[in-house]
Amino acid sequence: MSVLWSFFEHFVTIIIPCFPIFDTAFSRNVLQLLPHFWIGTRNRKGQIPCHISGQWNGAGCEPLLWSKKHAQQGWFEVDVRKEDVTAPDVIALLQDHLKSMTMHSPPESIHALNADRLRQPDVTFWSARENGILLGCGALKELNSRHGEIKSMKTSPHHVRKGAANRILRHMLEEARRRGYQRISLETGSMEAFLPARRLYEKAGFQYCDPFAHYKENPNSLFMTLNIS
């Protein structure tokens, strides 16, 4: 049994990384089969092939305790990058975002930004991609020099539960701190369809608050804020 396990460990940590086609999707499927898996084998340079986990660096990295939960959280090659909102797949995702808003909110309660508005100087837009495939997006709107607003958080329906939204949110919070913001706020829907989004923000430390900026009390809207000073 130990010989078989050793072979399997060698296959996951050494063989799979040698084939780009297996780098993400296949590795994820393998890892999700394991209740717990200790990546302890090192490559010929003495480094753990951590690009399976999305945490590769040139100096190698520490062994990771893998589980199905870890695999589902999207610890893979998710690249969060700034985009100019012109790529066809980005436009399609934003259109889907606006369409979903109209399905769950009355017109007067829809505050989502269209592509033209997202290209304005006061808004920075990011995408999350895995091997070039769009997983989701998000934007940060500057309200003033100390206050930013999260906009256009959307995960592709084909790539849910990969951790893209969490990765984008963390990236934007890091950027907000770098800019010197003291507070980050957002508006989201009060309906059940927006519950996953609210849970994401709650886990990140956001708290419910009164309307901010130009917003007004609305039974279809909830407002959240996070002090990052």
Side-chain angles (χ1 to χ4, degrees):
M1 185 67 181
S2 61
V3 174
L4 180 61
W5 179 257
S6 178
F7 172 79
F8 187 72
E9 180 182 33
H10 180 82
F11 178 78
V12 172
T13 60
I14 303 298
I15 304 301
I16 287 178
C18 294
F19 297 87
I21 190 173
F22 292 148
D23 260 4
T24 54
F26 185 80
S27 299
R28 181 184 302 113
N29 291 334
V30 171
L31 291 169
Q32 286 179 335
L33 292 174
L34 305 177
H36 291 93
F37 182 73
W38 181 263
I39 298 181
T41 304
R42 296 177 179 272
N43 63 17
R44 287 175 295 180
K45 295 182 180 180
Q47 299 170 336
I48 299 170
C50 296
H51 59 290
I52 292 178
S53 72
Q55 297 186 29
W56 171 267
N57 58 61
C61 59
E62 295 299 319
L64 297 173
L65 182 64
W66 276 95
S67 67
K68 182 178 179 181
K69 177 182 177 181
H70 293 155
Q72 290 177 339
Q73 285 178 337
W75 290 10
F76 298 95
E77 294 183 25
V78 177
D79 176 30
V80 178
R81 65 181 71 170
K82 190 182 298 184
E83 295 214 17
D84 57 6
V85 200
T86 58
D89 55 355
V90 169
I91 299 298
L93 183 60
L94 291 174
Q95 290 175 341
D96 183 61
H97 179 52
L98 291 172
K99 181 179 178 180
S100 65
M101 294 297 103
T102 61
M103 291 175 57
H104 302 292
S105 303
E108 65 274 11
S109 299
I110 297 177
H111 303 286
L113 303 181
N114 60 28
D116 289 337
R117 184 64 186 86
L118 288 169
R119 298 189 190 104
Q120 298 306 305
D122 61 337
V123 179
T124 306
F125 180 87
W126 288 273
S127 68
R129 295 181 180 274
E130 184 181 53
N131 289 340
I133 298 175
L134 182 64
L135 306 183
C137 65
L140 184 60
K141 177 183 177 183
E142 181 165 290
L143 299 176
N144 57 54
S145 61
R146 296 181 180 274
H147 192 186
E149 179 185 2
I150 290 175
K151 301 294 295 183
S152 302
M153 285 286 288
K154 175 66 176 179
T155 300
S156 167
H158 305 294
H159 300 285
V160 296
R161 299 183 64 81
K162 289 187 177 181
N166 182 56
R167 187 72 64 88
I168 294 171
L169 179 60
R170 287 191 288 112
H171 184 89
M172 291 194 295
L173 292 178
E174 291 172 4
E175 173 63 16
R177 292 186 180 96
R178 189 191 67 80
R179 294 182 183 183
Y181 292 169
Q182 294 185 343
R183 189 160 64 105
I184 295 294
S185 303
L186 62 92
E187 179 273 339
T188 188
S190 61
M191 291 72 78
E192 185 176 355
F194 297 94
L195 182 58
R198 298 199 300 270
R199 286 177 174 170
L200 171 69
Y201 301 132
E202 289 171 354
K203 289 180 179 179
F206 282 80
Q207 297 182 343
Y208 292 95
C209 64
D210 294 330
F212 60 93
H214 65 281
Y215 294 106
K216 298 180 180 180
E217 286 287 354
N218 184 332
N220 299 305
S221 293
L222 291 173
F223 305 94
M224 306 181 75
T225 192
L226 176 66
N227 188 333
I228 60 173
S229 60

